[in-house]
């Protein structure tokens, strides 16, 4: 059962590389390494995946605070991130998300948590509540 899941994940990664992202950046990446990264990331536990993504976002400059042009007293967070493969090949967000096998909502939740709380691990909201 576990071997079938691993094969499916590997095949999904290779299928994305064959189809591509539309901008052509996925064609620059080595297919085998990309599929192995997909497989290894999926093998991590959820907290490990969270920390991995937060560390990646920190290394790719995941958020910068600057002043608003219209409202001088209000700071805003610029969520611009430069995605790279091996620190020198720029890739698009679609390729990055497919490379790890995650969705955009999960990625945005991790990014927002990183901006608000730093590198602390995420805790589910019902942890302190007693079951009925």
């Amino acid at each position: 059962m576990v071997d079938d899941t691993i094969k499916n994940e590997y095949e999904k990664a290779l299928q994305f590389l064959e189809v591509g992202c539309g901008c052509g950046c996925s064609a620059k990446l080595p297919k085998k390494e990309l599929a192995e990264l997909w497989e290894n990331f999926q093998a991590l536990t959820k907290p490990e995946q969270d920390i991995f993504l937060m560390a990646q976002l920190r290394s790719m400059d995941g958020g910068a605070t600057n002043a608003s042009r219209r409202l001088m007293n209000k700071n805003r967070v610029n969520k611009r991130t430069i995605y790279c493969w091996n620190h020198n090949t720029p890739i698009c967000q679609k390729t990055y998300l497919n490379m790890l096998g995650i969705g955009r909502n999960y990625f945005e939740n991790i990014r927002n948590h990183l901006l608000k709380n730093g590198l602390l691990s995420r805790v589910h909201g019902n942890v302190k509540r007693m079951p009925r």
Side-chain angles (χ1 to χ4, degrees):
M1 180 72 182
V2 174
D3 291 333
D4 292 337
T5 306
I6 291 172
K7 288 179 184 177
N8 289 338
E9 296 296 325
Y10 186 79
E11 289 171 5
K12 286 179 187 176
L14 290 178
Q15 182 181 9
F16 170 74
L17 284 177
E18 289 175 9
V19 173
C21 62
C23 68
C25 65
S26 60
K28 302 176 195 174
L29 305 179
K31 292 182 180 181
K32 189 168 185 162
E33 289 180 28
L34 191 94
E36 287 175 3
L37 178 62
W38 173 308
E39 179 183 324
N40 292 336
F41 183 79
Q42 294 299 319
L44 297 174
T45 64
K46 201 63 151 174
E48 290 172 338
Q49 288 179 355
D50 292 353
I51 294 298
F52 177 85
L53 283 173
M54 286 187 230
Q56 287 272 310
L57 283 170
R58 287 289 268 218
S59 69
M60 295 185 288
D61 295 325
T65 304
N66 54 13
S68 173
R69 290 183 197 164
R70 287 185 255 154
L71 304 171
M72 294 301 172
N73 294 334
K74 185 174 182 181
N75 286 337
R76 64 180 180 190
V77 177
N78 183 6
K79 293 185 182 180
R80 183 167 298 192
T81 304
I82 301 168
Y83 306 98
C84 289
W85 171 261
N86 290 341
H87 301 292
N88 57 4
T89 306
I91 58 175
C92 66
Q93 185 183 40
K94 184 176 180 181
T95 300
Y96 181 76
L97 295 179
N98 282 301
M99 178 175 69
L100 298 176
I102 60 174
R104 186 175 172 133
N105 285 339
Y106 174 64
F107 182 72
E108 289 295 325
N109 289 340
I110 294 293
R111 180 188 289 176
N112 291 334
H113 176 80
L114 179 63
L115 291 173
K116 291 178 185 173
N117 304 319
L119 284 172
L120 296 175
S121 61
R122 296 191 314 162
V123 178
H124 192 277
N126 283 338
V127 167
K128 295 180 183 176
R129 297 192 181 119
M130 295 293 295
R132 291 184 178 184

